Amino acid sequence: MAGSDTTSPSAKVGGRLVLEDRILPGWLRIEDGRIVAVEPDAAKSGGPYICPGCVDTHVHGWGGYDAMGGPDALSGMARALLRHGITAFLPTAVAAPLETLVAFADDVRGWTSEAPADGAEPLGFNLEGLVEASINLLRRVRTEARPPGSAPSSADEAAGAAAAGKMP
């Protein structure tokens, strides 16, 4: 970034600062990763816009990369997201078999500590489909025609019946 040195614990970033109520030419002074001062400087009026990043909490893929594509895809996705202003994100799995979701979760957990410094920061992950699958299973249990008293007595019994193909 022009006019900045963000590689050390203390840095100054200069440009057009996008603040809550205005755009101010100047510098942000950063210490220990936190903004500690905003310093006006008219000389920075032609500099780059400096603004807060966005957090995306539901990302299946970006920049040609799939969140479920493994560590290399996650790194590519993180880098592509940061180039578009996303500073942190939650990789999100699509609805998939449980084994696939477990592998996705393991991939993200293993990758998080190795995520690229030049990419958006991973904040965890989302598993899409688990809640929907549970709701659909409960709907099937409730709507199945059974004699009184023969409904499954637990979620485990209902899941077993569904797995055995004993539910419509």
Side-chain angles (χ1 to χ4, degrees), residues 100-162:
T100 303
L101 295 176
V102 168
F104 166 77
D106 289 344
D107 280 349
V108 175
R109 282 188 196 110
W111 167 78
T112 298
S113 63
E114 304 296 324
D118 61 342
E121 179 182 356
L123 300 175
F125 56 85
N126 281 330
L127 297 176
E128 189 170 276
L130 290 179
V131 171
E132 291 136 4
S134 298
I135 290 170
N136 288 337
L137 176 61
L138 289 173
R139 282 187 187 132
R140 291 177 69 189
V141 168
R142 288 183 186 153
T143 59
E144 181 178 332
R146 294 175 163 235
S150 67
S153 60
S154 69
D156 289 338
E157 186 181 340

Coordinates of all heavy atoms in Angstrom, one line a residue, residues 100-162:
T100 N -18.1 -35.8 4.3 CA -17.5 -34.7 3.6 C -17.4 -33.5 4.4 O -16.4 -32.7 4.4 CB -18.4 -34.4 2.3 OG1 -18.4 -35.6 1.5 CG2 -17.8 -33.3 1.5
L101 N -18.4 -33.2 5.3 CA -18.4 -32.1 6.1 C -17.3 -32.2 7.2 O -16.7 -31.2 7.6 CB -19.8 -31.9 6.8 CG -20.9 -31.5 5.8 CD1 -22.3 -31.5 6.6 CD2 -20.6 -30.2 5.1
V102 N -17.1 -33.4 7.7 CA -16.1 -33.6 8.7 C -14.7 -33.4 8.1 O -13.9 -32.7 8.7 CB -16.2 -35.1 9.3 CG1 -14.9 -35.4 10.1 CG2 -17.4 -35.2 10.1
A103 N -14.5 -33.8 6.9 CA -13.2 -33.6 6.2 C -13.0 -32.1 5.9 O -11.9 -31.6 6.1 CB -13.2 -34.3 4.8
F104 N -14.1 -31.4 5.6 CA -14.0 -29.9 5.4 C -13.6 -29.3 6.7 O -12.7 -28.4 6.7 CB -15.4 -29.4 4.9 CG -15.5 -27.9 5.0 CD1 -14.9 -27.1 4.0 CD2 -16.2 -27.3 6.0 CE1 -15.0 -25.7 4.1 CE2 -16.4 -25.9 6.1 CZ -15.7 -25.1 5.1
A105 N -14.3 -29.6 7.8 CA -14.0 -29.0 9.1 C -12.5 -29.3 9.4 O -11.8 -28.4 9.9 CB -14.9 -29.5 10.1
D106 N -12.0 -30.5 9.2 CA -10.6 -30.9 9.5 C -9.7 -30.0 8.7 O -8.7 -29.5 9.1 CB -10.4 -32.3 9.3 CG -11.1 -33.2 10.4 OD1 -11.5 -32.7 11.4 OD2 -11.2 -34.4 10.1
D107 N -10.0 -29.9 7.4 CA -9.2 -29.1 6.5 C -9.1 -27.7 7.0 O -8.0 -27.1 7.0 CB -9.7 -29.1 5.0 CG -9.4 -30.3 4.3 OD1 -8.6 -31.1 4.7 OD2 -10.0 -30.5 3.2
V108 N -10.2 -27.0 7.3 CA -10.2 -25.6 7.7 C -9.4 -25.5 9.0 O -8.6 -24.6 9.2 CB -11.6 -25.1 7.8 CG1 -11.5 -23.6 8.4 CG2 -12.3 -25.1 6.5
R109 N -9.7 -26.4 10.0 CA -8.9 -26.3 11.3 C -7.4 -26.4 11.1 O -6.7 -25.7 11.7 CB -9.4 -27.4 12.2 CG -10.7 -27.2 12.8 CD -11.0 -28.3 13.9 NE -12.4 -28.2 14.3 CZ -13.3 -29.2 13.9 NH1 -12.9 -30.2 13.3 NH2 -14.5 -29.1 14.3
G110 N -7.0 -27.4 10.2 CA -5.6 -27.5 10.0 C -5.0 -26.4 9.2 O -3.8 -26.0 9.4
W111 N -5.7 -25.8 8.3 CA -5.3 -24.7 7.5 C -5.2 -23.3 8.2 O -4.3 -22.5 8.0 CB -6.2 -24.5 6.3 CG -6.0 -23.3 5.5 CD1 -5.0 -23.0 4.6 CD2 -6.8 -22.1 5.5 NE1 -5.1 -21.7 4.1 CE2 -6.2 -21.2 4.6 CE3 -8.0 -21.8 6.2 CZ2 -6.8 -19.9 4.4 CZ3 -8.5 -20.6 6.0 CH2 -7.9 -19.6 5.1
T112 N -6.1 -23.1 9.2 CA -6.2 -21.8 9.8 C -4.9 -21.3 10.4 O -4.6 -20.1 10.2 CB -7.3 -21.9 11.0 OG1 -8.5 -22.2 10.4 CG2 -7.4 -20.6 11.7
S113 N -4.1 -22.2 11.0 CA -2.8 -21.7 11.6 C -1.8 -21.4 10.5 O -0.8 -20.8 10.7 CB -2.3 -22.7 12.6 OG -2.0 -23.9 11.9
E114 N -2.1 -21.9 9.3 CA -1.1 -21.8 8.2 C -1.7 -20.8 7.1 O -1.1 -20.6 6.0 CB -0.9 -23.1 7.5 CG -0.3 -24.2 8.4 CD 1.0 -23.8 9.0 OE1 1.8 -23.2 8.2 OE2 1.3 -24.2 10.1
A115 N -2.8 -20.1 7.4 CA -3.5 -19.2 6.5 C -2.5 -18.1 6.1 O -1.7 -17.7 6.9 CB -4.7 -18.6 7.1
P116 N -2.5 -17.7 4.8 CA -1.5 -16.7 4.3 C -1.7 -15.3 5.0 O -2.8 -14.9 5.2 CB -1.8 -16.6 2.8 CG -3.2 -17.0 2.7 CD -3.5 -18.0 3.8
A117 N -0.6 -14.7 5.4 CA -0.6 -13.4 6.0 C -1.1 -12.3 5.0 O -1.6 -11.3 5.4 CB 0.8 -13.0 6.5
D118 N -1.0 -12.6 3.7 CA -1.5 -11.7 2.7 C -2.9 -12.0 2.2 O -3.3 -11.7 1.1 CB -0.5 -11.6 1.5 CG -0.4 -13.0 0.8 OD1 -0.8 -14.0 1.4 OD2 0.1 -13.0 -0.4
G119 N -3.7 -12.6 3.1 CA -5.1 -13.0 2.8 C -6.0 -12.5 3.9 O -5.6 -12.1 5.0
A120 N -7.3 -12.7 3.7 CA -8.3 -12.4 4.7 C -8.1 -13.4 5.8 O -7.8 -14.6 5.6 CB -9.7 -12.5 4.1
E121 N -8.4 -13.0 7.0 CA -8.2 -13.8 8.2 C -9.4 -14.8 8.4 O -10.6 -14.4 8.4 CB -8.1 -13.0 9.4 CG -8.0 -13.8 10.7 CD -7.9 -12.9 12.0 OE1 -7.9 -11.6 11.8 OE2 -7.9 -13.4 13.1
P122 N -9.1 -16.1 8.5 CA -10.2 -17.0 8.7 C -10.7 -17.0 10.2 O -9.9 -16.9 11.1 CB -9.6 -18.4 8.4 CG -8.1 -18.2 8.7 CD -7.9 -16.8 8.3
L123 N -12.0 -16.9 10.4 CA -12.5 -16.8 11.8 C -13.2 -18.1 12.3 O -13.7 -18.1 13.3 CB -13.6 -15.7 11.8 CG -13.1 -14.3 11.4 CD1 -14.3 -13.4 11.4 CD2 -12.0 -13.8 12.4
G124 N -13.1 -19.2 11.5 CA -13.7 -20.4 11.8 C -14.3 -21.0 10.5 O -13.7 -20.8 9.5
F125 N -15.5 -21.6 10.6 CA -16.2 -22.1 9.4 C -17.6 -22.3 9.7 O -18.1 -22.3 10.8 CB -15.5 -23.4 8.9 CG -15.5 -24.5 9.9 CD1 -16.6 -25.3 10.1 CD2 -14.4 -24.7 10.7 CE1 -16.5 -26.3 11.1 CE2 -14.3 -25.7 11.7 CZ -15.4 -26.5 11.9
N126 N -18.4 -22.4 8.6 CA -19.8 -22.7 8.6 C -20.1 -24.1 8.0 O -19.5 -24.4 7.0 CB -20.7 -21.7 7.9 CG -20.9 -20.4 8.6 OD1 -20.9 -20.4 9.8 ND2 -21.0 -19.3 7.9
L127 N -21.0 -24.8 8.6 CA -21.4 -26.1 8.0 C -22.9 -25.9 7.5 O -23.7 -25.9 8.4 CB -21.3 -27.3 9.0 CG -19.9 -27.6 9.4 CD1 -19.9 -28.7 10.5 CD2 -19.0 -28.0 8.3
E128 N -23.1 -25.8 6.3 CA -24.4 -25.6 5.7 C -25.0 -27.0 5.5 O -24.4 -27.9 5.1 CB -24.4 -24.9 4.4 CG -25.7 -24.5 3.9 CD -25.6 -23.6 2.7 OE1 -25.4 -22.4 2.9 OE2 -25.6 -24.1 1.6
G129 N -26.3 -27.2 5.9 CA -26.9 -28.4 5.6 C -27.3 -29.2 6.8 O -28.2 -30.0 6.8
L130 N -26.5 -29.1 7.9 CA -26.8 -29.9 9.1 C -28.1 -29.6 9.7 O -28.9 -30.5 10.0 CB -25.7 -29.8 10.1 CG -24.3 -30.4 9.7 CD1 -23.3 -30.2 10.9 CD2 -24.5 -31.9 9.5
V131 N -28.4 -28.3 9.8 CA -29.7 -27.9 10.4 C -30.8 -28.3 9.5 O -31.8 -28.8 9.9 CB -29.7 -26.4 10.7 CG1 -31.1 -25.9 11.1 CG2 -28.7 -26.1 11.8
E132 N -30.7 -28.1 8.2 CA -31.7 -28.4 7.2 C -32.0 -29.9 7.2 O -33.2 -30.3 7.2 CB -31.3 -27.9 5.8 CG -31.3 -26.4 5.7 CD -30.1 -25.9 4.9 OE1 -29.3 -26.7 4.4 OE2 -30.0 -24.7 4.8
A133 N -31.0 -30.7 7.3 CA -31.1 -32.2 7.3 C -31.9 -32.6 8.6 O -32.8 -33.4 8.5 CB -29.8 -32.9 7.2
S134 N -31.6 -32.0 9.7 CA -32.2 -32.3 11.0 C -33.7 -31.9 10.9 O -34.6 -32.7 11.3 CB -31.6 -31.6 12.1 OG -30.2 -32.0 12.2
I135 N -34.0 -30.8 10.4 CA -35.4 -30.3 10.3 C -36.2 -31.2 9.3 O -37.3 -31.6 9.6 CB -35.4 -28.8 9.8 CG1 -34.9 -27.9 10.9 CG2 -36.9 -28.4 9.3 CD1 -34.7 -26.5 10.4
N136 N -35.6 -31.6 8.2 CA -36.3 -32.5 7.3 C -36.5 -33.8 7.9 O -37.6 -34.4 7.7 CB -35.5 -32.6 6.0 CG -35.5 -31.4 5.1 OD1 -36.5 -30.6 5.3 ND2 -34.5 -31.2 4.3
L137 N -35.6 -34.4 8.7 CA -35.8 -35.6 9.3 C -36.9 -35.5 10.3 O -37.8 -36.4 10.4 CB -34.5 -36.1 10.1 CG -34.6 -37.3 10.9 CD1 -35.0 -38.5 10.0 CD2 -33.3 -37.6 11.6
L138 N -37.0 -34.5 11.1 CA -38.1 -34.3 12.1 C -39.4 -34.2 11.4 O -40.4 -34.7 11.8 CB -37.8 -33.1 13.0 CG -36.7 -33.2 14.0 CD1 -36.4 -31.9 14.7 CD2 -37.0 -34.3 15.0
R139 N -39.5 -33.5 10.2 CA -40.7 -33.3 9.5 C -41.2 -34.7 9.0 O -42.4 -35.0 9.1 CB -40.5 -32.5 8.3 CG -40.5 -31.0 8.6 CD -40.5 -30.2 7.3 NE -40.3 -28.8 7.6 CZ -39.5 -28.0 7.1 NH1 -38.7 -28.4 6.1 NH2 -39.4 -26.7 7.4
R140 N -40.3 -35.5 8.6 CA -40.6 -36.9 8.1 C -41.2 -37.7 9.3 O -42.1 -38.4 9.1 CB -39.4 -37.6 7.5 CG -39.1 -36.9 6.1 CD -37.9 -37.5 5.5 NE -38.1 -38.9 5.1 CZ -37.2 -39.7 4.7 NH1 -35.9 -39.3 4.7 NH2 -37.5 -40.9 4.3
V141 N -40.5 -37.6 10.4 CA -41.0 -38.4 11.6 C -42.4 -37.9 12.0 O -43.2 -38.8 12.3 CB -40.0 -38.2 12.8 CG1 -40.6 -38.7 14.1 CG2 -38.7 -38.9 12.5
R142 N -42.6 -36.6 12.0 CA -43.9 -36.1 12.4 C -45.0 -36.4 11.4 O -46.2 -36.6 11.8 CB -43.9 -34.6 12.6 CG -43.1 -34.2 13.8 CD -43.1 -32.7 14.0 NE -42.2 -32.3 15.0 CZ -41.6 -31.2 15.1 NH1 -41.8 -30.2 14.2 NH2 -40.8 -30.9 16.1
T143 N -44.7 -36.5 10.2 CA -45.8 -36.7 9.2 C -46.0 -38.2 8.8 O -47.0 -38.5 8.1 CB -45.5 -35.9 7.9 OG1 -44.2 -36.3 7.4 CG2 -45.4 -34.4 8.2
E144 N -45.1 -39.1 9.2 CA -45.3 -40.5 8.8 C -46.5 -41.0 9.6 O -46.7 -40.8 10.8 CB -44.0 -41.3 9.2 CG -44.2 -42.7 8.9 CD -42.9 -43.5 9.2 OE1 -41.8 -42.9 9.2 OE2 -43.0 -44.7 9.5
A145 N -47.4 -41.7 8.8 CA -48.5 -42.4 9.4 C -48.1 -43.6 10.2 O -47.5 -44.5 9.7 CB -49.5 -42.8 8.3
R146 N -48.4 -43.6 11.5 CA -48.0 -44.7 12.4 C -49.1 -44.9 13.4 O -49.8 -44.0 13.8 CB -46.8 -44.3 13.2 CG -45.5 -44.2 12.4 CD -44.4 -43.7 13.3 NE -43.1 -44.0 12.7 CZ -42.1 -44.7 13.2 NH1 -42.3 -45.2 14.4 NH2 -41.0 -44.9 12.6
P147 N -49.3 -46.1 13.9 CA -50.3 -46.3 14.9 C -49.9 -45.6 16.2 O -48.7 -45.3 16.4 CB -50.2 -47.8 15.2 CG -49.4 -48.4 14.0 CD -48.6 -47.3 13.4
P148 N -50.8 -45.1 17.0 CA -50.5 -44.4 18.2 C -49.5 -45.1 19.0 O -49.6 -46.3 19.2 CB -51.9 -44.2 18.9 CG -52.9 -44.4 17.8 CD -52.3 -45.3 16.8
G149 N -48.6 -44.4 19.6 CA -47.6 -45.0 20.5 C -46.4 -45.6 19.8 O -45.5 -46.1 20.4
S150 N -46.4 -45.6 18.4 CA -45.3 -46.3 17.8 C -44.3 -45.3 17.1 O -43.4 -45.7 16.4 CB -45.8 -47.2 16.7 OG -46.4 -46.5 15.6
A151 N -44.4 -44.0 17.4 CA -43.5 -43.0 16.9 C -42.1 -43.2 17.6 O -42.1 -43.8 18.7 CB -44.0 -41.6 17.2
P152 N -41.1 -42.9 16.9 CA -39.8 -43.0 17.5 C -39.7 -42.3 18.9 O -40.3 -41.2 19.0 CB -38.8 -42.4 16.5 CG -39.5 -42.4 15.2 CD -41.0 -42.3 15.6
S153 N -39.1 -42.9 19.8 CA -39.0 -42.2 21.2 C -37.8 -41.3 21.3 O -37.7 -40.6 22.3 CB -38.9 -43.3 22.2 OG -37.8 -44.1 22.0
S154 N -36.9 -41.3 20.3 CA -35.8 -40.4 20.4 C -35.3 -40.0 19.0 O -35.6 -40.7 18.1 CB -34.6 -41.1 21.2 OG -34.1 -42.2 20.4
A155 N -34.4 -39.0 19.0 CA -33.8 -38.6 17.7 C -32.9 -39.8 17.2 O -32.9 -40.0 16.0 CB -33.0 -37.4 17.9
D156 N -32.3 -40.5 18.1 CA -31.4 -41.6 17.7 C -32.2 -42.7 17.0 O -31.8 -43.2 16.0 CB -30.6 -42.2 18.8 CG -29.5 -41.3 19.4 OD1 -29.1 -40.4 18.6 OD2 -29.1 -41.5 20.5
E157 N -33.4 -43.0 17.5 CA -34.3 -44.0 16.9 C -34.8 -43.5 15.6 O -34.8 -44.3 14.6 CB -35.4 -44.3 17.9 CG -36.3 -45.4 17.4 CD -37.5 -45.7 18.3 OE1 -37.5 -45.3 19.5 OE2 -38.5 -46.3 17.8
A158 N -35.1 -42.2 15.5 CA -35.6 -41.7 14.2 C -34.5 -41.7 13.2 O -34.8 -42.1 12.0 CB -36.1 -40.3 14.4
A159 N -33.3 -41.4 13.6 CA -32.2 -41.4 12.6 C -31.9 -42.8 12.2 O -31.7 -43.1 11.0 CB -30.9 -40.8 13.3
G160 N -32.0 -43.8 13.1 CA -31.8 -45.2 12.7 C -32.9 -45.7 11.7 O -32.6 -46.4 10.8
A161 N -34.1 -45.3 12.0 CA -35.2 -45.6 11.1 C -35.0 -45.1 9.7 O -35.2 -45.7 8.7 CB -36.6 -45.2 11.6
A162 N -34.6 -43.8 9.6 CA -34.3 -43.2 8.4 C -33.2 -43.8 7.6 O -33.2 -44.1 6.4 CB -34.0 -41.7 8.6

